[in-house]
Amino acid sequence: MIGKLNKKTKEINKKKRIVTIRTKLLSAIATTCIILLSINSGIIIGNVRKDSNKVMNDLISAEAGKVSEEASAYFEKYITIAEVVATNPTINDYLKSTQTGVSVTTNPDYNNVLNILRKTQQEYSDVVSSVYVAEESPSSYITSSKTVVKEDVDLTAKAYYLTLTDGQTHISEPYVDSNTGALCVTISVPIKIDNQTVGEVCVDILITTLSQITADSTLGETGSFMLLSKDNKIVYHKDSTFVNKNIKELKFDSKVVTAVEGLNTEELISFNEVEIPHVGYLDLIGESEWKLVSYMTEDEFSSTTDNLTAMTIRNSIIIGLILIALVYVVITKSTKPLKVIQDVADKLAQGDLNVAINVNTNDEIGLLGISISHLIERLKKYIDYIDESSSVLNSFAANDFRLKLKNDYSGEFEKLKTAMVNISNMQKHIIGEIKDASAIIDSSSEQIAYGATATSQGATEQASGIEELSAEISQMADAVATTANSAKEAGKKSLKSSEAVSNGNKQMEELLKAIDEISNSSSEIGKIIKVIDDIAFQTNILALNAA
């Protein structure tokens, strides 16, 4: 039976692929670790990208802000110089005189004004190409670069004319200076007397220095800046062929053009330049309405993010492998006792109870080992119960109903013990009753045998008497027959005597009656003989049974 069970178990194991608990636990925990690490890595990467992008945004913004501040300071410096000249009392007195109709050249402050303009220009000659005072009514201007005084000029065509109309400080669009041939701009500051704009001080400054400031600023390895005027003329670009051209003329990426025209200083600009993806920001330079686009290649912008992402993924993989290795060691150590228990269970399945479990763990597996140890001890007791029960049943089969039990039967085996005790007691009782019945049967058999013998002898003697009586009756019948014949003959002979015949008839009738009675008696005797024969037959059967 056990051999068949083991064979069946092996067949089942062949058909069904066995997956160990260790494998299941490792798979479950490894999968969980991978999922959790993936989620964690995704969250970290998301945060890293967000923070990294913010850092890069702040970096670009900071560098752009730095360049913008330098450009703004550059303009503020020369705006301040122009404002100082505009507030000079001599200049104001000069304009008041011209307002009353005094000619520019005959004005007593003319030379003083000219000296002020020249001195200012000479002090900043490296940047300032010319300083002059202009007025619209009467229209005229005095310049420091040349001792030129022009009256009745058309100022509406000048770059600085707007200041005369709105009384605000302005920076003109870039243009090529006719005196120096360099790219410059004009800063115009209003001159006000009694809150009325009566003229303006103009300073022509070269923007070479401003372009150099922009060019000297660095933004990463691939970063650069593009300086734009109010009307989106390019003042500085790393490609010098773009300078003094409108951004629309150069077919820049529409995203850049849209951001510049819309003054979008909040969002990151993604665009292509020379078919290379770039990202950047737009900043405004002070109150000049000039613009600064700071940008770098998208690869460099995202390189930090990509590096941090790769590092995060690498660290997550390393941590995952370490966790899986630690889990493998812990699970292997924890499930090793299960292998011991499995080996013991296999031996138990093969009928080998001479096994021991050496599991010394303070957990459920240890408790399982203790339970199986108790089970083995219990099975050994069950085997003892079975062996002893088999021995008792074999004794019963050999007609030995004495019950000799050494083991203390418990559990379900207590029913077996009770059944064997009941069988033993029942068999003993039956044997006792059989012995008593045998004694009674022996006594009855002797009496039956004695009675049968006496009956047999009486029957024999009766049969002999009956035979003799039968012989006598036969003889009597013969005699009667003979007498009848004689009577017939006598009747024939005594026809003549009626009296004699009548008497003879009466005697004959009486004789026939006697014969009938004898015949009836013979029939009754035959019945008695048959009864006696039956009794003798039954007696013989009883005698045989008693024997």
PDB file of all heavy atoms in Angstrom, residues 108-129:
ATOM      1  N   PRO A 108      24.914 134.503 -25.179  1.00  0.00           N
ATOM      2  CA  PRO A 108      26.089 134.633 -24.311  1.00  0.00           C
ATOM      3  C   PRO A 108      26.523 133.320 -23.664  1.00  0.00           C
ATOM      4  O   PRO A 108      27.678 133.171 -23.265  1.00  0.00           O
ATOM      5  CB  PRO A 108      25.636 135.654 -23.263  1.00  0.00           C
ATOM      6  CG  PRO A 108      24.151 135.620 -23.292  1.00  0.00           C
ATOM      7  CD  PRO A 108      23.765 135.294 -24.682  1.00  0.00           C
ATOM      8  N   ASP A 109      25.610 132.333 -23.577  1.00  0.00           N
ATOM      9  CA  ASP A 109      25.960 131.050 -22.958  1.00  0.00           C
ATOM     10  C   ASP A 109      26.401 130.010 -23.981  1.00  0.00           C
ATOM     11  O   ASP A 109      26.649 128.840 -23.627  1.00  0.00           O
ATOM     12  CB  ASP A 109      24.740 130.498 -22.194  1.00  0.00           C
ATOM     13  CG  ASP A 109      24.395 131.370 -20.987  1.00  0.00           C
ATOM     14  OD1 ASP A 109      25.347 131.791 -20.311  1.00  0.00           O
ATOM     15  OD2 ASP A 109      23.187 131.565 -20.715  1.00  0.00           O
ATOM     16  N   TYR A 110      26.497 130.419 -25.218  1.00  0.00           N
ATOM     17  CA  TYR A 110      26.804 129.446 -26.269  1.00  0.00           C
ATOM     18  C   TYR A 110      28.125 128.740 -25.996  1.00  0.00           C
ATOM     19  O   TYR A 110      28.215 127.504 -26.021  1.00  0.00           O
ATOM     20  CB  TYR A 110      26.822 130.141 -27.626  1.00  0.00           C
ATOM     21  CG  TYR A 110      27.432 129.300 -28.723  1.00  0.00           C
ATOM     22  CD1 TYR A 110      26.753 128.201 -29.248  1.00  0.00           C
ATOM     23  CD2 TYR A 110      28.719 129.610 -29.219  1.00  0.00           C
ATOM     24  CE1 TYR A 110      27.335 127.442 -30.237  1.00  0.00           C
ATOM     25  CE2 TYR A 110      29.285 128.834 -30.217  1.00  0.00           C
ATOM     26  CZ  TYR A 110      28.589 127.728 -30.724  1.00  0.00           C
ATOM     27  OH  TYR A 110      29.164 126.964 -31.697  1.00  0.00           O
ATOM     28  N   ASN A 111      29.197 129.514 -25.791  1.00  0.00           N
ATOM     29  CA  ASN A 111      30.516 128.905 -25.586  1.00  0.00           C
ATOM     30  C   ASN A 111      30.552 128.037 -24.333  1.00  0.00           C
ATOM     31  O   ASN A 111      31.190 126.980 -24.304  1.00  0.00           O
ATOM     32  CB  ASN A 111      31.583 129.990 -25.493  1.00  0.00           C
ATOM     33  CG  ASN A 111      31.829 130.652 -26.848  1.00  0.00           C
ATOM     34  OD1 ASN A 111      31.770 129.991 -27.890  1.00  0.00           O
ATOM     35  ND2 ASN A 111      32.066 131.949 -26.847  1.00  0.00           N
ATOM     36  N   ASN A 112      29.867 128.531 -23.317  1.00  0.00           N
ATOM     37  CA  ASN A 112      29.828 127.716 -22.080  1.00  0.00           C
ATOM     38  C   ASN A 112      29.125 126.376 -22.332  1.00  0.00           C
ATOM     39  O   ASN A 112      29.565 125.319 -21.849  1.00  0.00           O
ATOM     40  CB  ASN A 112      29.103 128.483 -20.985  1.00  0.00           C
ATOM     41  CG  ASN A 112      29.863 129.729 -20.545  1.00  0.00           C
ATOM     42  OD1 ASN A 112      31.105 129.762 -20.612  1.00  0.00           O
ATOM     43  ND2 ASN A 112      29.153 130.756 -20.118  1.00  0.00           N
ATOM     44  N   VAL A 113      28.033 126.431 -23.073  1.00  0.00           N
ATOM     45  CA  VAL A 113      27.298 125.178 -23.401  1.00  0.00           C
ATOM     46  C   VAL A 113      28.190 124.258 -24.203  1.00  0.00           C
ATOM     47  O   VAL A 113      28.267 123.039 -23.959  1.00  0.00           O
ATOM     48  CB  VAL A 113      26.007 125.505 -24.163  1.00  0.00           C
ATOM     49  CG1 VAL A 113      25.375 124.229 -24.722  1.00  0.00           C
ATOM     50  CG2 VAL A 113      25.047 126.232 -23.255  1.00  0.00           C
ATOM     51  N   LEU A 114      28.897 124.815 -25.172  1.00  0.00           N
ATOM     52  CA  LEU A 114      29.768 124.006 -26.023  1.00  0.00           C
ATOM     53  C   LEU A 114      30.872 123.357 -25.190  1.00  0.00           C
ATOM     54  O   LEU A 114      31.202 122.174 -25.397  1.00  0.00           O
ATOM     55  CB  LEU A 114      30.358 124.881 -27.124  1.00  0.00           C
ATOM     56  CG  LEU A 114      31.176 124.164 -28.193  1.00  0.00           C
ATOM     57  CD1 LEU A 114      30.321 123.123 -28.914  1.00  0.00           C
ATOM     58  CD2 LEU A 114      31.740 125.163 -29.211  1.00  0.00           C
ATOM     59  N   ASN A 115      31.439 124.112 -24.261  1.00  0.00           N
ATOM     60  CA  ASN A 115      32.485 123.546 -23.404  1.00  0.00           C
ATOM     61  C   ASN A 115      31.949 122.398 -22.526  1.00  0.00           C
ATOM     62  O   ASN A 115      32.634 121.384 -22.301  1.00  0.00           O
ATOM     63  CB  ASN A 115      33.079 124.659 -22.523  1.00  0.00           C
ATOM     64  CG  ASN A 115      33.924 125.642 -23.322  1.00  0.00           C
ATOM     65  OD1 ASN A 115      34.503 125.277 -24.344  1.00  0.00           O
ATOM     66  ND2 ASN A 115      33.972 126.893 -22.878  1.00  0.00           N
ATOM     67  N   ILE A 116      30.749 122.596 -22.031  1.00  0.00           N
ATOM     68  CA  ILE A 116      30.138 121.534 -21.206  1.00  0.00           C
ATOM     69  C   ILE A 116      29.966 120.245 -22.027  1.00  0.00           C
ATOM     70  O   ILE A 116      30.299 119.146 -21.593  1.00  0.00           O
ATOM     71  CB  ILE A 116      28.798 122.004 -20.635  1.00  0.00           C
ATOM     72  CG1 ILE A 116      29.015 123.116 -19.602  1.00  0.00           C
ATOM     73  CG2 ILE A 116      28.021 120.829 -20.010  1.00  0.00           C
ATOM     74  CD1 ILE A 116      27.730 123.782 -19.148  1.00  0.00           C
ATOM     75  N   LEU A 117      29.483 120.396 -23.239  1.00  0.00           N
ATOM     76  CA  LEU A 117      29.257 119.239 -24.101  1.00  0.00           C
ATOM     77  C   LEU A 117      30.575 118.543 -24.438  1.00  0.00           C
ATOM     78  O   LEU A 117      30.681 117.317 -24.415  1.00  0.00           O
ATOM     79  CB  LEU A 117      28.523 119.658 -25.374  1.00  0.00           C
ATOM     80  CG  LEU A 117      27.098 120.243 -25.182  1.00  0.00           C
ATOM     81  CD1 LEU A 117      26.507 120.649 -26.524  1.00  0.00           C
ATOM     82  CD2 LEU A 117      26.203 119.244 -24.469  1.00  0.00           C
ATOM     83  N   ARG A 118      31.591 119.357 -24.782  1.00  0.00           N
ATOM     84  CA  ARG A 118      32.881 118.772 -25.146  1.00  0.00           C
ATOM     85  C   ARG A 118      33.538 118.071 -23.945  1.00  0.00           C
ATOM     86  O   ARG A 118      34.120 117.005 -24.096  1.00  0.00           O
ATOM     87  CB  ARG A 118      33.796 119.865 -25.692  1.00  0.00           C
ATOM     88  CG  ARG A 118      33.398 120.334 -27.081  1.00  0.00           C
ATOM     89  CD  ARG A 118      34.297 121.455 -27.548  1.00  0.00           C
ATOM     90  NE  ARG A 118      33.970 121.847 -28.929  1.00  0.00           N
ATOM     91  CZ  ARG A 118      34.565 122.832 -29.579  1.00  0.00           C
ATOM     92  NH1 ARG A 118      35.497 123.579 -28.962  1.00  0.00           N
ATOM     93  NH2 ARG A 118      34.229 123.114 -30.828  1.00  0.00           N
ATOM     94  N   LYS A 119      33.451 118.727 -22.830  1.00  0.00           N
ATOM     95  CA  LYS A 119      34.060 118.139 -21.634  1.00  0.00           C
ATOM     96  C   LYS A 119      33.410 116.785 -21.314  1.00  0.00           C
ATOM     97  O   LYS A 119      34.101 115.824 -20.963  1.00  0.00           O
ATOM     98  CB  LYS A 119      33.913 119.106 -20.459  1.00  0.00           C
ATOM     99  CG  LYS A 119      34.577 118.622 -19.196  1.00  0.00           C
ATOM    100  CD  LYS A 119      34.430 119.661 -18.084  1.00  0.00           C
ATOM    101  CE  LYS A 119      35.083 119.170 -16.803  1.00  0.00           C
ATOM    102  NZ  LYS A 119      34.921 120.167 -15.695  1.00  0.00           N
ATOM    103  N   THR A 120      32.098 116.749 -21.406  1.00  0.00           N
ATOM    104  CA  THR A 120      31.382 115.497 -21.118  1.00  0.00           C
ATOM    105  C   THR A 120      31.801 114.407 -22.104  1.00  0.00           C
ATOM    106  O   THR A 120      32.063 113.253 -21.723  1.00  0.00           O
ATOM    107  CB  THR A 120      29.870 115.716 -21.198  1.00  0.00           C
ATOM    108  OG1 THR A 120      29.479 116.736 -20.267  1.00  0.00           O
ATOM    109  CG2 THR A 120      29.108 114.439 -20.902  1.00  0.00           C
ATOM    110  N   GLN A 121      31.873 114.784 -23.384  1.00  0.00           N
ATOM    111  CA  GLN A 121      32.229 113.792 -24.409  1.00  0.00           C
ATOM    112  C   GLN A 121      33.651 113.297 -24.196  1.00  0.00           C
ATOM    113  O   GLN A 121      33.942 112.118 -24.334  1.00  0.00           O
ATOM    114  CB  GLN A 121      32.049 114.399 -25.786  1.00  0.00           C
ATOM    115  CG  GLN A 121      32.188 113.435 -26.955  1.00  0.00           C
ATOM    116  CD  GLN A 121      33.652 113.277 -27.403  1.00  0.00           C
ATOM    117  OE1 GLN A 121      34.447 114.258 -27.307  1.00  0.00           O
ATOM    118  NE2 GLN A 121      34.007 112.089 -27.848  1.00  0.00           N
ATOM    119  N   GLN A 122      34.560 114.212 -23.891  1.00  0.00           N
ATOM    120  CA  GLN A 122      35.959 113.824 -23.712  1.00  0.00           C
ATOM    121  C   GLN A 122      36.151 112.939 -22.489  1.00  0.00           C
ATOM    122  O   GLN A 122      37.012 112.066 -22.488  1.00  0.00           O
ATOM    123  CB  GLN A 122      36.821 115.098 -23.610  1.00  0.00           C
ATOM    124  CG  GLN A 122      36.913 115.871 -24.911  1.00  0.00           C
ATOM    125  CD  GLN A 122      37.612 117.200 -24.760  1.00  0.00           C
ATOM    126  OE1 GLN A 122      38.031 117.592 -23.641  1.00  0.00           O
ATOM    127  NE2 GLN A 122      37.742 117.961 -25.863  1.00  0.00           N
ATOM    128  N   GLU A 123      35.347 113.194 -21.474  1.00  0.00           N
ATOM    129  CA  GLU A 123      35.474 112.385 -20.245  1.00  0.00           C
ATOM    130  C   GLU A 123      35.116 110.925 -20.513  1.00  0.00           C
ATOM    131  O   GLU A 123      35.685 110.019 -19.893  1.00  0.00           O
ATOM    132  CB  GLU A 123      34.575 112.961 -19.159  1.00  0.00           C
ATOM    133  CG  GLU A 123      34.762 112.304 -17.816  1.00  0.00           C
ATOM    134  CD  GLU A 123      33.942 113.008 -16.729  1.00  0.00           C
ATOM    135  OE1 GLU A 123      33.309 114.046 -17.025  1.00  0.00           O
ATOM    136  OE2 GLU A 123      33.932 112.504 -15.580  1.00  0.00           O
ATOM    137  N   TYR A 124      34.197 110.684 -21.450  1.00  0.00           N
ATOM    138  CA  TYR A 124      33.756 109.309 -21.756  1.00  0.00           C
ATOM    139  C   TYR A 124      33.968 109.016 -23.243  1.00  0.00           C
ATOM    140  O   TYR A 124      33.119 108.397 -23.898  1.00  0.00           O
ATOM    141  CB  TYR A 124      32.273 109.128 -21.400  1.00  0.00           C
ATOM    142  CG  TYR A 124      31.966 109.449 -19.960  1.00  0.00           C
ATOM    143  CD1 TYR A 124      31.426 110.690 -19.607  1.00  0.00           C
ATOM    144  CD2 TYR A 124      32.228 108.529 -18.944  1.00  0.00           C
ATOM    145  CE1 TYR A 124      31.145 110.987 -18.272  1.00  0.00           C
ATOM    146  CE2 TYR A 124      31.945 108.830 -17.617  1.00  0.00           C
ATOM    147  CZ  TYR A 124      31.404 110.050 -17.286  1.00  0.00           C
ATOM    148  OH  TYR A 124      31.143 110.356 -15.973  1.00  0.00           O
ATOM    149  N   SER A 125      35.065 109.472 -23.746  1.00  0.00           N
ATOM    150  CA  SER A 125      35.320 109.382 -25.186  1.00  0.00           C
ATOM    151  C   SER A 125      35.417 107.943 -25.694  1.00  0.00           C
ATOM    152  O   SER A 125      35.243 107.692 -26.885  1.00  0.00           O
ATOM    153  CB  SER A 125      36.609 110.136 -25.529  1.00  0.00           C
ATOM    154  OG  SER A 125      37.707 109.589 -24.824  1.00  0.00           O
ATOM    155  N   ASP A 126      35.717 106.992 -24.798  1.00  0.00           N
ATOM    156  CA  ASP A 126      35.827 105.601 -25.244  1.00  0.00           C
ATOM    157  C   ASP A 126      34.476 105.019 -25.632  1.00  0.00           C
ATOM    158  O   ASP A 126      34.392 104.061 -26.393  1.00  0.00           O
ATOM    159  CB  ASP A 126      36.468 104.740 -24.167  1.00  0.00           C
ATOM    160  CG  ASP A 126      35.707 104.827 -22.853  1.00  0.00           C
ATOM    161  OD1 ASP A 126      34.997 105.831 -22.635  1.00  0.00           O
ATOM    162  OD2 ASP A 126      35.796 103.880 -22.037  1.00  0.00           O
ATOM    163  N   VAL A 127      33.402 105.635 -25.132  1.00  0.00           N
ATOM    164  CA  VAL A 127      32.051 105.132 -25.433  1.00  0.00           C
ATOM    165  C   VAL A 127      31.211 106.224 -26.093  1.00  0.00           C
ATOM    166  O   VAL A 127      30.494 105.974 -27.050  1.00  0.00           O
ATOM    167  CB  VAL A 127      31.350 104.634 -24.153  1.00  0.00           C
ATOM    168  CG1 VAL A 127      29.904 104.248 -24.445  1.00  0.00           C
ATOM    169  CG2 VAL A 127      32.106 103.473 -23.534  1.00  0.00           C
ATOM    170  N   VAL A 128      31.318 107.427 -25.576  1.00  0.00           N
ATOM    171  CA  VAL A 128      30.477 108.518 -26.071  1.00  0.00           C
ATOM    172  C   VAL A 128      31.141 109.139 -27.294  1.00  0.00           C
ATOM    173  O   VAL A 128      32.282 109.618 -27.237  1.00  0.00           O
ATOM    174  CB  VAL A 128      30.267 109.579 -24.979  1.00  0.00           C
ATOM    175  CG1 VAL A 128      29.447 110.744 -25.532  1.00  0.00           C
ATOM    176  CG2 VAL A 128      29.602 108.966 -23.768  1.00  0.00           C
ATOM    177  N   SER A 129      30.416 109.091 -28.392  1.00  0.00           N
ATOM    178  CA  SER A 129      30.949 109.675 -29.637  1.00  0.00           C
ATOM    179  C   SER A 129      30.534 111.125 -29.802  1.00  0.00           C
ATOM    180  O   SER A 129      31.215 111.912 -30.460  1.00  0.00           O
ATOM    181  CB  SER A 129      30.482 108.870 -30.845  1.00  0.00           C
ATOM    182  OG  SER A 129      29.059 108.928 -30.959  1.00  0.00           O
TER     183      SER A 129
END
